[in-house]
Amino acid sequence: MYKLHVKFPSKNITFNYNPHTSELTQFDGKSLSLASIQKDYEPKHFKVWEANSPSNPAKKRSDARVIKIQMGLKCNYACSYCNQASQVPNSLQGNPKEAQAFLDNLDNWYTGDGNKTRWEFWGGEPFVYWKVLKILAEGLRKRFPKAEFNIISNGSLLTKERVDWIDKLDIQLGISHDGTVYEKQRGKDVLDVPESLEAIKYAYEKLFPKQKIGFNCVLTVHNYSYKAVREHIASKLGISHFDVPLTSEEIMLPYDTMGMILCPTEPHEQKEMRETLFGEIFSGDSLFVSAVFDKLDDWFQSLAQKRPWTAMGQKCGMDNPDNISLDLKGNTMTCQNTNANLKEHNTGNINNIEAVEMKLVHHFRTRDECSKCPVVQMCKGACLFLENNYWKKACDVSYHYNLALLASGIHRLTGGILTHVEGTPRREGLPEMQEVISMDFIKEQTRINNGQEPVAV
């Protein structure tokens, strides 16, 4: 049980929150009203999610509902935080013959309804593998006319002809872009390259009315503002920033040494991140970023349904037997950002799918920190394969990111500001009382709002 200390203009109130049972109660023990979010309490019965670990490996199903096809890890950019970059020399690089062989072999292992499956085409940069991509997507679309297709690209290799092809095959296109810090983190801003900008504008005009295009950003120590990302993209495309469909992988996690540098590990960085995120959600500037809106809505649902933490799978979904990542030779792997040629991430082969085992999986219920975390319902375990110091830092970073989301949820429910969370710390040496939104932030917002505190009564 955690105590949530919430500030109102004329008083302070402490609420009790149990993230294991999704119970949020007032000081008198009564459940907090959900009227402000137009919900009622409707408790549900939930099945227990299997908590996988190295001693209890996750399995995969032959009728998978999300299939992530990794065509290879080559990319024409060199993003500073790309955890794939060091794996490229040892990874499989797909070719057209292997793409056709993949399609020809589908009936030998896949038993699902491909029309109800999400097929994702991954790199590296997917359009580096244009010939492979065409064979795969066209072959699968012919076979599964109602399936969902998805590509995440840096956008630099788009052309009008390729956009027309994407539109014809009804593919959801995601373009990775981090806003004003793009060049600091990735390289030449594609929106400053005339040919790429023209193609991306064309893609937006063609796909946005069909809700088939979006932009995907990663927050790092160089930028915690979703608003800044949307405004930068909007200025380049000549549209309103509210018309930029933005989602996010959220805050950078320390997958490697560079990732450790780019994620907020210092207290002042974590404080700035929390308050930037909260401030933008409070103002409405970031509320409708899908990664924010969906997470808040999911948390509200957890309260309404009293969802226990035992019912949840991992954030990324890769512990789900229905989700599978594989290369063109049928080798399965931990996730699409890893490489089946690395022993620790090779989980088997689809030609013997019953034997596939994800041995490098730590479901959050098997992690000591997660069992003592007030934001576990939002975080859902950060990254499932990180270990040792990388895991420790990932836990800290994700914790502070999700504290901002918890504060935003509390504000939408009550109109108050979550200043502190009190309770058992995640690990030894951490304080029992954690500041969330500071009084100096509230005072600054009060000044900006001409003397009105940024809270409702």
Side-chain angles (χ1 to χ4, degrees):
M1 185 70 73
Y2 292 88
K3 293 182 179 180
L4 306 184
H5 298 271
V6 182
K7 176 177 172 52
F8 294 85
S10 59
K11 59 185 175 181
N12 297 324
I13 297 178
T14 299
F15 299 99
N16 294 317
Y17 176 54
N18 186 336
H20 287 193
T21 59
S22 294
E23 294 176 287
L24 181 61
T25 57
Q26 303 175 91
F27 58 89
D28 58 3
K30 293 182 179 179
S31 294
L32 190 68
S33 171
L34 303 181
S36 61
I37 55 170
Q38 292 80 52
K39 290 185 183 294
D40 294 316
Y41 283 101
E42 298 178 350
K44 286 181 58 179
H45 173 73
F46 291 89
K47 294 182 179 179
V48 174
W49 190 275
E50 185 168 5
N52 296 114
S53 66
S55 61
N56 178 32
K59 308 290 285 186
K60 295 298 172 184
R61 297 165 56 102
S62 61
D63 58 348
R65 297 292 295 273
V66 177
I67 299 179
K68 301 170 183 279
I69 305 173
Q70 188 192 85
M71 298 177 290
L73 297 182
K74 287 183 179 178
C75 183
N76 61 324
Y77 265 57
C79 301
S80 58
Y81 53 66
C82 178
N83 64 310
Q84 293 181 340
S86 63
Q87 303 178 47
V88 174
N90 296 318
S91 65
L92 171 71
Q93 307 305 328
N95 60 60
K97 287 184 178 180
E98 289 173 332
Q100 187 58 54
F102 178 90
L103 294 173
D104 294 341
N105 187 48
L106 206 56
D107 283 338
N108 292 328
W109 70 274
Y110 179 62
T111 61
D113 183 347
N115 283 308
K116 296 180 180 179
T117 296
R118 177 182 172 93
W119 301 84
E120 301 180 357
F121 307 99
W122 287 89
E125 165 53 43
F127 287 99
V128 166
Y129 298 94
W130 173 236
K131 293 180 180 179
V132 173
L133 178 59
K134 273 179 60 67
I135 291 172
L136 286 174
E138 290 173 8
L140 288 169
R141 178 57 76 207
K142 183 177 181 180
R143 188 165 177 175
F144 306 120
K146 297 181 180 180
E148 182 180 354
F149 285 4
N150 179 269
I151 295 173
I152 303 293
S153 167
N154 60 34
S156 64
L157 299 178
L158 286 178
T159 62
K160 288 186 176 181
E161 292 73 24
R162 291 178 179 181
V163 171
D164 288 338
W165 176 84
I166 289 169
D167 184 40
K168 181 181 178 181
L169 267 67
D170 193 29
I171 298 174
Q172 172 77 32
L173 174 65
I175 298 176
S176 299
H177 204 290
D178 298 336
T180 55
V181 299
Y182 190 104
E183 293 198 1
K184 184 179 290 187
Q185 298 180 169
R186 292 178 176 265
K188 180 68 175 178
D189 188 342
V190 292
L191 299 179
D192 288 332
V193 178
E195 298 83 359
S196 298
L197 176 60
E198 182 181 8
I200 292 171
K201 281 185 173 181
Y202 182 71
Y204 181 87
E205 292 166 0
K206 196 151 195 174
L207 302 177
F208 179 71
K210 302 177 182 180
Q211 297 183 316
K212 288 291 182 177
I213 190 171
F215 294 86
N216 182 36
C217 71
V218 178
L219 302 180
T220 69
V221 289
H222 298 312
N223 175 54
Y224 304 124
S225 170
Y226 286 127
K227 179 183 179 182
V229 175
R230 294 176 88 187
E231 288 183 338
H232 177 82
I233 295 171
S235 69
K236 299 294 183 179
L237 297 184
I239 59 176
S240 165
H241 77 275
F242 288 110
D243 289 329
V244 175
L246 184 68
T247 190
S248 176
E249 297 175 38
E250 300 185 338
I251 189 66
M252 180 70 197
L253 296 182
Y255 297 106
D256 52 25
T257 303
M258 183 53 70
M260 192 79 80
I261 294 172
L262 288 172
C263 68
T265 57
E266 296 297 323
H268 71 278
E269 296 170 339
Q270 294 161 350
K271 170 182 165 66
E272 181 184 354
M273 174 178 64
R274 292 194 307 270
E275 296 182 345
T276 299
L277 289 167
F278 174 79
E280 289 191 355
I281 298 170
F282 167 79
S283 68
D285 287 310
S286 296
L287 178 59
F288 293 105
V289 172
S290 62
V292 171
F293 182 89
D294 292 346
K295 176 164 281 190
L296 287 175
D297 186 63
D298 180 72
W299 186 66
F300 294 143
Q301 281 290 101
S302 77
L303 297 176
Q305 298 173 352
K306 295 191 182 296
R307 181 180 68 199
W309 81 313
T310 55
M312 299 188 302
Q314 201 73 17
K315 171 190 171 184
C316 66
M318 289 311 296
D319 65 325
N320 190 332
D322 288 336
N323 300 349
I324 191 168
S325 179
L326 68 166
D327 63 26
L328 294 179
K329 289 187 178 295
N331 299 309
T332 59
M333 60 205 77
T334 306
C335 74
Q336 73 279 0
N337 291 319
T338 60
N339 170 16
N341 287 342
L342 295 177
K343 183 179 179 181
E344 64 269 29
H345 288 296
N346 187 309
T347 62
N349 192 283
I350 55 174
N351 292 318
N352 187 14
I353 198 163
E354 295 81 8
V356 169
E357 290 187 335
M358 294 182 66
K359 296 181 179 179
L360 196 59
V361 172
H362 302 267
H363 184 274
F364 58 81
R365 291 207 327 267
T366 70
R367 307 243 202 202
D368 190 50
E369 292 98 329
C370 297
S371 68
K372 296 178 288 189
C373 179
V375 293
V376 65
Q377 288 273 350
M378 288 180 162
C379 175
K380 299 179 183 176
C383 179
L384 56 74
F385 69 76
L386 292 179
E387 298 179 306
N388 304 318
N389 194 45
Y390 287 112
W391 157 251
K392 180 180 178 181
K393 293 298 183 183
C395 172
D396 290 343
V397 170
S398 189
Y399 170 72
H400 286 279
Y401 177 92
N402 284 286
L403 279 179
L405 274 292
L406 178 63
S408 300
I410 292 296
H411 182 266
R412 289 197 66 198
L413 281 172
T414 71
I417 300 292
L418 177 61
T419 61
H420 293 84
V421 173
E422 181 183 0
T424 304
R426 290 169 295 126
R427 72 174 71 93
E428 187 177 347
L430 294 176
E432 291 189 5
M433 182 76 79
Q434 168 67 57
E435 182 182 72
V436 183
I437 305 300
S438 65
M439 292 305 299
D440 61 326
F441 174 83
I442 295 174
K443 291 175 182 177
E444 175 62 14
Q445 294 303 301
T446 300
R447 184 189 65 77
I448 293 172
N449 291 325
N450 298 317
Q452 298 297 313
E453 288 197 42
V455 292
V457 176

